[in-house]
Amino acid sequence: MKNKKIVIAGGTGFIGQALTEYFGRTNSIVILSRLSGDTHTNLYHQKLLTVDDGYLVRYVKWDGKTVEENWSEEIAGADIVINLAGKSVNCRYHKKQKQEIFDSRVNATNALGEAIRKTSHPPALWVNAASATIYQNSLTAPNDEFTGVISDRKEDNMPYNIIDNLRYRKNRLLAALFQGKESEVYKNLETDFSVQVCKLWEKVFFEQETHGTRKVALRTAITLGKAGVITPYLNLCKFGLCGKQGSGKQMFSWVHVEDVARMIQWLYENEKAIGVYNCVAPNAVSNYSLLKSLRQLTGNKIGLPAGSWMLEAGAFLIGTETELLLKSRWVIPTRATREGFVFNYPLLRNALEQIIADLPRRNYSLS
Ligand SMILES: NC(=O)c1ccc[n+]([C@@H]2O[C@H](COP(=O)([O-])OP(=O)(O)OC[C@H]3O[C@@H](n4cnc5c(N)ncnc54)[C@H](OP(=O)(O)O)[C@@H]3O)[C@@H](O)[C@H]2O)c1
């Protein structure tokens, strides 16, 4: 793809920078960011790509919620708008954090919708990030766009490690006793937060009326590249902790970030593409296989397993949730493959090989 204008909201993060690297030498990229002009790195301490690195990229300030002329005029004449903006879900799900996770996604999506409606030269395509976590916890069958099960009942999404389960049952009992089953607290305990976020995000997106602009929600799996989740996994390997997590049977759906970029290009070129697409490699693996591959590729023979209680304690200490590791995400990209998209990285092993080979050696240890 050449000479296109691509606006990426939230493009300073892991996926946004990878998209800039992929498209930014031959297309003009405008990144909408809340950062001030003197910020040079993102939350992964990656240096932000600039014109000096050979990329046609500009950073334009927005607040992620208000339509202002300085950034909304960038939408005019854009070929693709990609929305990646949202507070990271890699945190403890306390009330304040949860609200920020909801609000950041809803506000950014609303603001982009309004800006697209206002412009006289709307983009051909608007791709909104979405998440493959929308599908239920599944150990028995994969979910796709046609038959996948989307349920926000807590019980359909919990990974059911003993600690999570006990905590959930205790809180539910207390809420039923002291607040009643009709209370907000009780209902919140019954529903799964992550699925609610995914559902609301897509609802707000598809509610935007943007005549002349095709809309695609990209239900993206855990994305692998030189930043993002690969860093903590390689750190675990370094310390010999790269054994199975929990039962190890939970499925790990993933996608190479290069295939995310390629799928966006394919969606742009495929003028019939509209609606929901799963952006996940066709071959999910179990958590056990993921960690085995990582051990083999980093040359770490020892990989101590981490039981659910250890993960629970570790997640508390590093300020995240075990759901990110323990939910069984089994998703396949039926729509894209049926319509002709071919993944460069259909197999995890090849994806990891490429990513690890590309990383500086200090990021992992070789025995
Ligand atoms: N990485 C994955 O495996 C994965 C999988 C499925 C879905 N997704 C979704 O895809 C999107 C991009 O993923 P990513 O890994 O690139 O995320 P990321 O590294 O966390 O980047 C997201 C960007 O969103 C912006 N942002 C953060 N908080 C915000 C707020 N309160 N209001 C407005 N903007 C805010 C930030 O840009 P500024 O600070 O510059 O404004 C940040 O760079 C996210 O929404 C994520 O949920 C990611």
Side-chain angles (χ1 to χ4, degrees), residues 28-44:
S28 147
I29 312 288
V30 175
I31 288 181
L32 306 184
S33 164
R34 297 161 311 148
L35 300 174
S36 61
D38 55 5
T39 308
H40 304 295
T41 57
N42 65 12
L43 79 166
Y44 307 97

Side-chain angles (χ1 to χ4, degrees), residues 143-189:
N143 288 289
D144 72 6
E145 299 92 337
F146 303 101
T147 59
V149 183
I150 298 175
S151 156
D152 52 15
R153 269 165 41 98
K154 184 79 176 163
E155 299 202 2
D156 293 333
N157 296 284
M158 277 187 78
Y160 281 121
N161 72 67
I162 290 175
I163 294 172
D164 251 10
N165 202 359
L166 285 177
R167 196 174 50 183
Y168 162 62
R169 285 179 192 286
K170 181 203 82 185
N171 289 342
R172 208 174 52 153
L173 181 68
L174 291 176
L177 282 175
F178 294 109
Q179 269 113 349
K181 288 194 174 180
E182 291 308 312
S183 68
E184 217 32 45
V185 179
Y186 186 85
K187 284 183 190 157
N188 274 343
L189 284 169

Side-chain angles (χ1 to χ4, degrees), residues 244-275:
K244 67 177 184 181
Q245 296 165 323
S247 72
K249 290 184 187 150
Q250 70 274 28
M251 296 298 282
F252 177 77
S253 281
W254 59 278
V255 63
H256 191 298
V257 72
E258 187 183 307
D259 277 330
V260 177
R262 291 180 58 254
M263 193 180 281
I264 291 173
Q265 175 166 348
W266 173 80
L267 289 165
Y268 175 71
E269 287 162 358
N270 173 5
E271 285 178 14
K272 290 195 180 127
I274 198 159

Side-chain angles (χ1 to χ4, degrees), residues 17-270:
Q17 289 295 292
L19 296 183
T20 304
E21 205 170 337
Y22 188 84
F23 292 117
R25 288 194 188 272
T26 51
N27 301 278
S28 147
I29 312 288
V30 175
I31 288 181
L32 306 184
S33 164
R34 297 161 311 148
L35 300 174
S36 61
D38 55 5
T39 308
H40 304 295
T41 57
N42 65 12
L43 79 166
Y44 307 97
H45 310 292
Q46 266 183 306
K47 181 182 167 294
L48 295 180
L49 298 173
T50 64
V51 171
D52 294 341
D53 307 307
Y55 296 94
L56 292 164
V57 58
R58 282 185 298 124
Y59 293 83
V60 173
K61 195 160 170 61
W62 78 333
D63 67 2
K65 53 185 173 208
T66 322
V67 180
E68 287 160 322
E69 213 175 293
N70 76 306
W71 69 263
S72 63
E73 66 188 12
E74 296 291 348
I75 302 284
D79 296 280
I80 310 177
V81 169
I82 303 169
N83 178 22
L84 304 172
K87 177 181 166 45
S88 171
V89 295
N90 186 13
C91 60
R92 291 297 274 183
Y93 294 162
H94 299 311
K95 199 170 172 195
K96 183 167 170 275
Q97 313 260 45
K98 281 174 158 181
Q99 201 56 49
E100 265 181 63
I101 289 174
F102 273 122
D103 290 349
S104 54
R105 286 169 173 75
V106 168
N107 294 341
T109 306
N110 275 328
L112 287 169
E114 193 182 329
I116 290 174
R117 277 191 295 282
K118 277 189 175 160
T119 180
S120 49
H121 294 94
L125 175 67
W126 175 9
V127 176
N128 223 49
S131 172
T133 294
I134 198 166
Y135 298 108
Q136 71 169 358
N137 182 65
S138 176
L139 284 162
T140 49
N143 288 289
D144 72 6
E145 299 92 337
F146 303 101
T147 59
V149 183
I150 298 175
S151 156
D152 52 15
R153 269 165 41 98
K154 184 79 176 163
E155 299 202 2
D156 293 333
N157 296 284
M158 277 187 78
Y160 281 121
N161 72 67
I162 290 175
I163 294 172
D164 251 10
N165 202 359
L166 285 177
R167 196 174 50 183
Y168 162 62
R169 285 179 192 286
K170 181 203 82 185
N171 289 342
R172 208 174 52 153
L173 181 68
L174 291 176
L177 282 175
F178 294 109
Q179 269 113 349
K181 288 194 174 180
E182 291 308 312
S183 68
E184 217 32 45
V185 179
Y186 186 85
K187 284 183 190 157
N188 274 343
L189 284 169
E190 284 281 272
T191 46
D192 184 84
F193 167 66
S194 302
V195 175
Q196 282 182 309
V197 172
C198 297
K199 282 173 70 173
L200 182 67
W201 200 6
E202 288 191 15
K203 180 171 172 283
V204 171
F205 175 56
F206 285 116
E207 275 171 0
Q208 305 299 318
E209 285 185 22
T210 54
H211 302 292
T213 299
R214 278 186 294 128
K215 289 189 299 182
V216 172
L218 214 52
R219 285 185 187 157
T220 310
I222 292 171
T223 305
L224 302 178
K226 61 184 170 193
V229 296
I230 199 73
T231 313
Y233 273 120
L234 292 178
N235 282 337
L236 285 177
C237 286
K238 247 188 222 172
F239 297 109
L241 296 172
C242 218
K244 67 177 184 181
Q245 296 165 323
S247 72
K249 290 184 187 150
Q250 70 274 28
M251 296 298 282
F252 177 77
S253 281
W254 59 278
V255 63
H256 191 298
V257 72
E258 187 183 307
D259 277 330
V260 177
R262 291 180 58 254
M263 193 180 281
I264 291 173
Q265 175 166 348
W266 173 80
L267 289 165
Y268 175 71
E269 287 162 358
N270 173 5

Side-chain angles (χ1 to χ4, degrees), residues 292-310:
K292 189 172 169 194
S293 297
L294 280 170
R295 282 200 304 279
Q296 288 171 342
L297 290 169
T298 55
N300 284 279
K301 293 195 181 77
I302 299 170
L304 294 177
S308 302
W309 67 270
M310 285 169 77

